[in-house]
mmCIF file of all heavy atoms in Angstrom:
data_model
loop_
_atom_site.group_PDB
_atom_site.id
_atom_site.type_symbol
_atom_site.label_atom_id
_atom_site.label_comp_id
_atom_site.label_asym_id
_atom_site.label_seq_id
_atom_site.Cartn_x
_atom_site.Cartn_y
_atom_site.Cartn_z
ATOM 1 N N THR Z 322 46.005 0.922 52.532
ATOM 2 C CA THR Z 322 47.023 0.350 53.401
ATOM 3 C C THR Z 322 48.280 1.200 53.282
ATOM 4 O O THR Z 322 48.474 1.917 52.287
ATOM 5 C CB THR Z 322 47.373 -1.097 53.011
ATOM 6 O OG1 THR Z 322 47.943 -1.098 51.687
ATOM 7 C CG2 THR Z 322 46.135 -1.995 53.058
ATOM 8 N N ASP Z 323 49.141 1.122 54.282
ATOM 9 C CA ASP Z 323 50.402 1.854 54.209
ATOM 10 C C ASP Z 323 51.214 1.409 53.003
ATOM 11 O O ASP Z 323 51.863 2.229 52.331
ATOM 12 C CB ASP Z 323 51.203 1.631 55.491
ATOM 13 C CG ASP Z 323 50.622 2.376 56.689
ATOM 14 O OD1 ASP Z 323 49.778 3.277 56.478
ATOM 15 O OD2 ASP Z 323 51.011 2.052 57.826
ATOM 16 N N ALA Z 324 51.177 0.114 52.705
ATOM 17 C CA ALA Z 324 51.936 -0.402 51.566
ATOM 18 C C ALA Z 324 51.453 0.211 50.255
ATOM 19 O O ALA Z 324 52.262 0.519 49.366
ATOM 20 C CB ALA Z 324 51.837 -1.922 51.508
ATOM 21 N N ALA Z 325 50.149 0.396 50.110
ATOM 22 C CA ALA Z 325 49.607 0.988 48.885
ATOM 23 C C ALA Z 325 50.055 2.441 48.738
ATOM 24 O O ALA Z 325 50.401 2.890 47.634
ATOM 25 C CB ALA Z 325 48.090 0.904 48.889
ATOM 26 N N PHE Z 326 50.064 3.183 49.841
ATOM 27 C CA PHE Z 326 50.507 4.577 49.780
ATOM 28 C C PHE Z 326 52.002 4.656 49.476
ATOM 29 O O PHE Z 326 52.449 5.533 48.728
ATOM 30 C CB PHE Z 326 50.176 5.289 51.093
ATOM 31 C CG PHE Z 326 48.763 5.806 51.148
ATOM 32 C CD1 PHE Z 326 47.709 4.946 51.400
ATOM 33 C CD2 PHE Z 326 48.482 7.142 50.928
ATOM 34 C CE1 PHE Z 326 46.402 5.404 51.437
ATOM 35 C CE2 PHE Z 326 47.175 7.625 50.969
ATOM 36 C CZ PHE Z 326 46.126 6.744 51.220
ATOM 37 N N GLU Z 327 52.776 3.741 50.057
ATOM 38 C CA GLU Z 327 54.213 3.729 49.779
ATOM 39 C C GLU Z 327 54.491 3.370 48.325
ATOM 40 O O GLU Z 327 55.404 3.934 47.705
ATOM 41 C CB GLU Z 327 54.904 2.750 50.725
ATOM 42 C CG GLU Z 327 54.927 3.246 52.168
ATOM 43 C CD GLU Z 327 55.296 2.151 53.156
ATOM 44 O OE1 GLU Z 327 55.537 1.003 52.703
ATOM 45 O OE2 GLU Z 327 55.321 2.435 54.368
ATOM 46 N N ALA Z 328 53.700 2.457 47.764
ATOM 47 C CA ALA Z 328 53.874 2.092 46.360
ATOM 48 C C ALA Z 328 53.526 3.269 45.451
ATOM 49 O O ALA Z 328 54.222 3.531 44.458
ATOM 50 C CB ALA Z 328 53.018 0.887 46.018
ATOM 51 N N ALA Z 329 52.449 3.981 45.774
ATOM 52 C CA ALA Z 329 52.072 5.151 44.978
ATOM 53 C C ALA Z 329 53.155 6.221 45.049
ATOM 54 O O ALA Z 329 53.503 6.846 44.037
ATOM 55 C CB ALA Z 329 50.738 5.708 45.462
ATOM 56 N N TYR Z 330 53.698 6.428 46.245
ATOM 57 C CA TYR Z 330 54.748 7.428 46.394
ATOM 58 C C TYR Z 330 55.999 7.032 45.594
ATOM 59 O O TYR Z 330 56.616 7.880 44.945
ATOM 60 C CB TYR Z 330 55.118 7.610 47.866
ATOM 61 C CG TYR Z 330 56.279 8.558 48.050
ATOM 62 C CD1 TYR Z 330 56.089 9.927 47.988
ATOM 63 C CD2 TYR Z 330 57.572 8.076 48.230
ATOM 64 C CE1 TYR Z 330 57.157 10.803 48.112
ATOM 65 C CE2 TYR Z 330 58.641 8.942 48.357
ATOM 66 C CZ TYR Z 330 58.434 10.310 48.305
ATOM 67 O OH TYR Z 330 59.492 11.164 48.416
ATOM 68 N N ALA Z 331 56.368 5.766 45.636
ATOM 69 C CA ALA Z 331 57.546 5.312 44.884
ATOM 70 C C ALA Z 331 57.346 5.550 43.391
ATOM 71 O O ALA Z 331 58.277 5.967 42.681
ATOM 72 C CB ALA Z 331 57.804 3.835 45.169
ATOM 73 N N ASP Z 332 56.142 5.287 42.886
ATOM 74 C CA ASP Z 332 55.827 5.536 41.479
ATOM 75 C C ASP Z 332 55.966 7.022 41.176
ATOM 76 O O ASP Z 332 56.616 7.430 40.193
ATOM 77 C CB ASP Z 332 54.409 5.046 41.191
ATOM 78 C CG ASP Z 332 54.072 5.020 39.713
ATOM 79 O OD1 ASP Z 332 54.807 5.603 38.906
ATOM 80 O OD2 ASP Z 332 53.035 4.412 39.357
ATOM 81 N N LEU Z 333 55.369 7.857 42.022
ATOM 82 C CA LEU Z 333 55.435 9.305 41.824
ATOM 83 C C LEU Z 333 56.868 9.814 41.891
ATOM 84 O O LEU Z 333 57.279 10.654 41.082
ATOM 85 C CB LEU Z 333 54.586 10.016 42.881
ATOM 86 C CG LEU Z 333 53.073 9.836 42.774
ATOM 87 C CD1 LEU Z 333 52.392 10.292 44.063
ATOM 88 C CD2 LEU Z 333 52.517 10.610 41.576
ATOM 89 N N ALA Z 334 57.632 9.300 42.857
ATOM 90 C CA ALA Z 334 59.004 9.783 43.028
ATOM 91 C C ALA Z 334 59.844 9.494 41.793
ATOM 92 O O ALA Z 334 60.630 10.346 41.351
ATOM 93 C CB ALA Z 334 59.621 9.143 44.266
#
Side-chain angles (χ1 to χ4, degrees):
T322 63
D323 287 345
F326 276 78
E327 290 166 0
Y330 175 79
D332 191 347
L333 291 166

